[in-house]
Amino acid sequence: MPYITEERRMIQEQAREFTLNEVLPVANKLDPEKGDIPMDLRDKMAELGYFGILIPEQYGGLGLGCFEYCLVTEELSRGWMSVASLIARGNLLIGSHMMSEEQRGRYLPRMAKGEFLGAFSMSEPNAGSDISNISCRARKDGTGYLINGNKYWCTFADGADFLIIIARTSDAPPGKRHMGLSMFFVEKKRGTLPKGCSGAPIPKIGYFGWKTYELAFDNFRVEAADMIGEEGHAFYYATSGLETARAHTAARAIGLAQGALDDSIRYAGERRQFERPISDFQAIRFKIAECSEGIQIHGGAGYTTLHAVERHWRDARLTKIFEGTSEIQKRIISDRLLGRGRN
């Protein structure tokens, strides 16, 4: 079967049209202002089913696969990477695939409609790519747990309707640092942080449209029923979920590159120097052929917020960091090629 079927082509074209007509104008206005993605744009995305691409049809989703998910992501990223990232807050957010049937029936239909979006709280000041270094603790207390500790890089913590939190419920055995982590699903009121959780936005150079938080949990209570899967197995749930998240990041990177290339080709045809379009000059044509040095092609204009290429430049840098740094991705690939397991 060809990769691009007629159905997939239609999905891609629809996402491209939506991006040009709906996402790009909003991004061009709000990114320079560091404004939040508006609710009416989220509602339009929900109508197209973008928050339920990966959610099975029995729960109200589209029941499609990672390929379709990445097609939509790539096109949305051509307009604004933050919007492409927002769809991950519905589509089986990391860990959701391990929900019990009761949890899936309660939450997934609302997630698929875009009515119930989440934030993922895993990273910490000393735990990013090294998930096994998580120190935030969840101590048993009666029928539930009390969570204490700090989290970092929790995007959408304020705007989300729920949090997925990874905390350490037991000490790891010697040589098995990845053991003893558990995952919790916690509903919250949109627009606020729940009781026992405080935080503040982290200053960023890009990835605008929403806020990224550092969080502090102080005797934050969760019930045993809020746990996803088995106690102590969250490392496996997180790394499994990151497989799709990393494909999502690759699609975001491709979309950003395509957006920058589109802008650069257009600008090179419009910008005239020495009585000719700069696209006539071999130096510029080589930059386009070599996958676009967008900022340089735009010259001084590229270093302003007047062109989307500057936004793409800032956001693209993040794709080498989140969901595991580029160095971690290379380690994973080399380990697999060499037949080595995870440490």
Side-chain angles (χ1 to χ4, degrees):
M1 183 182 78
Y3 281 114
I4 297 293
T5 62
E6 188 59 33
E7 179 186 21
R8 286 172 172 173
R9 191 177 303 281
M10 289 174 62
I11 291 171
Q12 184 182 46
E13 290 175 353
Q14 180 194 59
R16 183 171 300 171
E17 182 178 356
F18 177 77
T19 297
L20 290 175
N21 295 335
E22 303 290 348
V23 178
L24 196 54
V26 170
N28 289 341
K29 178 180 185 299
L30 293 182
D31 183 86
E33 302 171 2
K34 301 183 182 180
D36 289 343
I37 300 168
M39 278 301 302
D40 63 336
L41 182 60
R42 283 175 54 178
D43 291 342
K44 292 172 183 176
M45 294 165 66
E47 290 174 9
L48 293 171
Y50 289 165
F51 294 108
I53 297 171
L54 297 175
I55 294 177
E57 291 181 272
Q58 69 190 91
Y59 301 109
L62 298 181
L64 299 173
C66 191
F67 193 106
E68 290 81 7
Y69 183 48
C70 288
L71 276 181
V72 172
T73 296
E74 184 180 327
E75 294 303 326
L76 293 177
S77 291
R78 291 172 75 167
W80 200 3
M81 187 179 75
S82 297
V83 169
S85 301
L86 181 62
I87 66 173
R89 272 51 191 175
N91 282 289
L92 291 175
L93 184 65
I94 296 172
S96 301
H97 65 294
M98 291 305 302
M99 286 179 176
S100 66
E101 187 54 42
E102 188 277 331
Q103 289 171 324
R104 292 168 74 87
R106 190 192 323 166
Y107 298 128
L108 294 191
R110 295 159 64 195
M111 291 167 67
K113 293 177 182 177
E115 300 172 352
F116 192 64
L117 305 181
F120 187 54
S121 184
M122 179 184 73
S123 296
E124 297 179 5
N126 292 312
S129 296
D130 184 7
I131 302 171
S132 60
N133 205 42
I134 286 176
S135 62
C136 186
R137 299 295 300 232
R139 176 176 56 84
K140 282 189 177 180
D141 182 75
T143 60
Y145 298 79
L146 294 178
I147 298 179
N148 286 278
N150 298 318
K151 291 290 184 181
Y152 210 54
W153 296 115
C154 184
T155 299
F156 202 47
D158 56 340
D161 303 293
F162 66 89
L163 299 175
I164 290 182
I165 306 166
I166 297 182
R168 184 166 293 283
T169 49
S170 63
D171 293 330
K176 296 184 178 180
R177 294 190 307 124
H178 63 288
M179 299 297 292
L181 300 175
S182 298
M183 185 175 285
F184 299 92
F185 187 103
V186 184
E187 290 192 61
K188 59 177 282 293
K189 183 178 179 181
R190 183 184 299 175
T192 65
L193 298 176
K195 182 180 178 181
C197 175
S198 59
I202 300 169
K204 302 178 293 186
I205 64 171
Y207 206 35
F208 300 136
W210 48 3
K211 298 175 179 64
T212 299
Y213 275 75
E214 56 178 330
L215 302 174
F217 293 98
D218 182 12
N219 286 332
F220 179 72
R221 185 168 186 84
V222 294
E223 296 300 326
D226 296 329
M227 185 178 289
I228 296 177
E230 297 182 52
E231 182 174 332
H233 286 69
F235 176 87
Y236 300 109
Y237 306 155
T239 52
S240 174
L242 281 168
E243 295 292 330
T244 300
R246 285 164 177 163
H248 180 236
T249 292
R252 285 181 281 184
I254 293 169
L256 286 166
Q258 185 63 60
L261 180 61
D262 293 343
D263 292 345
S264 298
I265 291 172
R266 186 183 311 111
Y267 185 82
E270 296 170 352
R271 172 72 168 170
R272 297 181 65 85
Q273 291 288 278
F274 306 103
E275 300 182 338
R276 300 162 62 186
I278 63 172
S279 59
D280 282 357
F281 297 105
Q282 189 177 59
I284 299 299
R285 298 172 74 88
F286 279 178
K287 291 183 187 301
I288 290 173
E290 292 167 356
C291 206
S292 179
E293 292 181 45
I295 295 289
Q296 193 69 18
I297 292 170
H298 280 72
Y303 203 65
T304 72
T305 57
L306 297 176
H307 293 272
V309 69
E310 178 266 347
R311 176 172 72 251
H312 297 326
W313 176 57
R314 285 185 284 106
D315 288 351
R317 187 60 185 82
L318 185 56
T319 64
K320 298 180 69 174
I321 299 173
F322 59 12
E323 316 299 6
T325 63
S326 295
E327 291 77 10
I328 288 294
Q329 310 303 339
K330 290 178 181 178
R331 167 69 187 273
I332 292 170
I333 292 169
S334 64
D335 280 354
R336 289 181 178 175
L337 290 174
L338 293 171
R340 295 175 180 173
R342 294 186 179 121
N343 291 329

